[in-house]
Amino acid sequence: MFRLSINASNQLRTFEEIYAENYARLHNIAVRMVGDRENASDIVQEVFIGLYEKLSSGMTVLYLKTYLYRATLNKCFDCINRQKRYSTLEVVPEDSMEDGSLENRERKVVIRRALSKLKPVERAILIMYSEDFSYKEISDATGIRFSSVGKTLARTLDKMENRLKSERYELY
């Protein structure tokens, strides 16, 4: 176990603390991005392995959360691109078939299908927005200019609404 300094107040924290604080949120984002819990677990594990290797080699991470979100999204984008290459069928993930009322399951399937038709960056923006990320955090994690996040989000929401309407499902 090693300690590292990660913020302006020079608070020392262990890798295990960083892992415990961030794993659940990163995993949730990855599940929603790739639609599969196993792939999401692998993605988040790879992100933390990369962070551990980076920190143990003496490199510094100035903005830890930004680094973690960006690394997670990049790995999700890679996974989505691999899935597109090897699969031409539209697959509804197992997550959408969880217990719940038939109406809730159908809603999840429709929303997941509409999300899967968006570009990966658009999907990331919607997921991060729904997870209460600030525009600054979305900008840092996706690489979109801060001044463009609001407009991009509005366009993506419109696109999502149109996709849902084409499925005969109302967003509101």
Side-chain angles (χ1 to χ4, degrees), residues 1-4 13-16 51-57:
M1 177 186 338
F2 62 89
R3 298 183 95 53
L4 59 140
R13 296 170 49 199
T14 65
F15 183 80
E16 289 80 9
L51 175 65
Y52 185 86
E53 289 172 349
K54 183 175 238 173
L55 295 173
S56 64
S57 71

Side-chain angles (χ1 to χ4, degrees), residues 1-3 7 15 44 51 71 79 89 100 145 153 159:
M1 177 186 338
F2 62 89
R3 298 183 95 53
N7 63 20
F15 183 80
V44 176
L51 175 65
C79 181
L89 298 175
R145 285 192 328 254
L153 176 62
K159 192 183 281 189

